[in-house]
Amino acid sequence: MTATASTVPSVARLFHDRVFASADREAFRVPEPDGTWRSITWGATGERVGELAAGLVALGIEAGDRVAVMCSTRYEWITCDLAIMCAGGATTTVYPSTAAPDVAYILADSGSRVVFAEDAEQVAKLRAHREELPDVGAVVLIDGTPADLPGNDDGWVTGIDDLAARGRALTETSPDAVANRIDAIGPDDLATLIYTSGTTGRPKGVRLPQKAWTYQGDALTKLDLVRPDDLQYLWLPLAHSFGKVLLSAQLAIGFASAVDGRVDKIVDNMGVVRPTMMAAAPRIFEKAHARIVTTIAAEGGPKAKLFDWAISVGRKVSDLTLAGKRVPPLLAAQHRVADKLVLSKIRDRFGGRVRFFVSGSAALAPDLAHWFHAAGVIILEGYGMTENAAGGSVNELSRYRIGTVGRPLPGTEIKIGDDGEVLLRSPSVMTGYHNLPEQTAEALDDDGFLHTGDIGELDADGYLRITDRKKDLFKTSGGKYVAPQAIEGQMLAVCPYVSQVVVHGEGRNHCTALLTLDADALQGWAANNGLAGRDHASLVTSPEVQTMVQGYVDTLNGRLNRWETIKKFTILDRELSLEEGELTPSMKIRRKDVEKRHQAALDALYTG
Ligand code: AMP
């Protein structure tokens, strides 16, 4: 196993080497308030990280100490994280959306000594629980002035520029302070504590060592995927392993990233930044697809007909290409016309330069991947989890199979257990859950394999297919297993208006579903069906919308086993949300929480 580990001992060293090799090249691009983008070099990033790292040393951070970052996805998140590691510390990641009691739990459980807080709102959460945080000696404020904060007479909160100034002062007297820290970091030292969202109970701190990230950087470099001249559009939450692994790849490969964590800005920003690649959770691709097809459907007439024709031509070409077959000349000629008039316009929505997208974090519906492929947009699906620093398998540009999550990364072993569970071993597997020896022993076996809790299959060529989660399989009272995620994925693919689905049926005699509809898409449908001007809540209960959705559910049911069919459904009047505790920060549905919260609506589906 060690044979595949990176020869670079730490993330700090990897970063240092990158700054040295690429000092004058662009590293990051950040949005300015006036809508323009500012470019920052590796050299400038190295300078900022160096002074912040020295500032942490001056604050008293010792090797191995935990320092938390509670901030949205932006350049400052990255410099803080790198500074922590260059000071020999380990980063505890906290989503800015995490509620105050959970923040307090995570900071106390991790024993974090300093916290980088994005703004006054984040500081207020810390203040509210200060007595539970005796280990937190200082808070560093990223935006704003500490003197303006209520209750800061105690000087608990320091400004980030003050920290940098302290770092510069330290460097004058001890020029090697940070370099010595970097030299001392070994591959097994703790790099990051990421708290998994956990679908029930308290979050668990996943302990990822330095070699988890350096391995990921190495392995991704070996794939036919990202190149040094790529421009990434980075929006994923960096508190999550999927976002974080992209940073390791960036340090190892040296491409540039435009960074903006605002989800509502993705498509508009892509038109301006014109990136060559982006990674995202499937929901983003579902939304983009829904927006495009419903806009066209609402326009109707010859434009919609032309669109459908172009997609069908694109699909024929896509099917032949994916099967390794030749495209006949007539179809190729039609495809040139379809591409010019329609398909290229779809690609232009994403800036027109995208070489590929990567989808991960949850299952991507194959129909959606096929639709994008028909438009000339490649979505490469990958698979992993926080417990293995996100990168387990991925499709590559020169070899990809839609419906699979690709082949194991070089140096990662994947096998299927007797009960179908995906078992994974690599240098990036966690050393364990923080302070949870029993749960660690359940997740890691004696041979070092991580038990993922996912059910999957490997085909003859080594491509992995995730068929469901062991943790989510349920049995109806008839004793038949139902794989809810597979059905939910099909429903999303069948109906462009549905935005979220929860299939329910554990211990019941048949399955039902809770659905939500995409507000924009529904308004477009309403305008076309004589219901313009009605609000979302009244639309979802209208007989017209119920009938429309029933039609799609009937189509879905036609594709399912009898025991899997959705006998009844309820359309909720709003989307499931993070605020209501129905989604994890990485936008996964908290199935059990949703079922509990909407218990009455579900029960009603089983009466009468
Ligand atoms: P997290 O630790 O939040 O990244 O969640 C990891 C889990 O997300 C995995 O164990 C899978 O259940 C799920 N997951 C990640 N990628 C995929 C994928 N491509 N297809 C299906 N499930 C996935």
Side-chain angles (χ1 to χ4, degrees), residues 196-197 240-241 359-364 381-387 405 452 454 466 469 471 586 588:
T196 51
S197 20
H240 186 250
S241 56
S359 176
S361 200
L364 175 72
E381 189 170 6
Y383 161 80
M385 61 196 303
T386 306
E387 286 84 340
V405 295
T452 62
D454 295 305
I466 302 296
R469 296 175 75 165
K471 38 225 177 196
S586 53
K588 289 195 188 71

Side-chain angles (χ1 to χ4, degrees), residues 194-206:
I194 300 187
Y195 281 76
T196 51
S197 20
T199 39
T200 51
R202 288 281 195 195
K204 300 178 285 191
V206 175

Side-chain angles (χ1 to χ4, degrees), residues 150-167:
N152 203 42
D153 309 338
D154 58 4
W156 197 38
V157 185
T158 310
I160 195 162
D161 288 332
D162 297 332
L163 183 77
R166 283 183 74 169

